[in-house]
Amino acid sequence: MNANTDLILYEEEFQQIVAEVERLCRDANAKVVFLVDKNGQLIASSGNAGGMDTTSLASLTAGNIAATGGLAKLLGEKEFSILFHEGEKDNMHISLVGDRVILVVIFDSRTSLGLVRLRVKRTSEALTRIFETIVRKSEAEKSAPGAAGVEAASAFAEITEDDIDNLFR
């Protein structure tokens, strides 16, 4: 899976992703679970995120993964795929899934790090399969004759700058 290609989520796979995130939150007894892409965009969440700035959390998590990747390279490692932050009340388990998305689990004393790690492993495997399916679908659509991207490009080709200017008059 190439992490540098744009991610196109299809409805069927998106629903599978949401179901996996919800299952992880429930099975790990976590407070909140987030799935974030490496650019910091929130893909899915489950649990009680009330009061959390999810946009900032997603962006900072992606930045954390990027910074940790730099540290890994300095040490001759490809990456550190799992990060754990322990707080007074809440803990954060961050893992890289399929070199494309970041799975964030926020949990407290109602569960254990061992249970979270066990459930994250199972969810990561399921999410990796889902994202591989997404990549295959996306590549098949791009290579198909009359691909949606070509049709969309031709539809925009008909629009001139004068048309756009007329919209704002």
Side-chain angles (χ1 to χ4, degrees), residues 148-161 163-164:
V150 173
E151 291 173 13
S154 64
F156 287 118
E158 297 173 5
I159 300 172
T160 65
E161 286 187 31
D163 292 334
I164 295 170

Side-chain angles (χ1 to χ4, degrees), residues 16-70:
Q16 292 173 356
I17 290 167
V18 169
E20 288 295 331
V21 168
E22 288 175 348
R23 186 172 75 163
L24 173 61
C25 190
R26 183 184 60 247
D27 291 354
N29 202 22
K31 290 177 75 173
V32 187
V33 175
F34 295 103
L35 188 65
V36 178
D37 75 5
K38 286 181 100 175
N39 295 322
Q41 296 291 317
L42 182 64
I43 297 172
S45 67
S46 179
N48 184 9
M52 281 188 200
D53 181 354
T54 56
T55 303
S56 295
L57 186 114
S59 297
L60 291 170
T61 299
N64 193 354
I65 286 289
T68 304

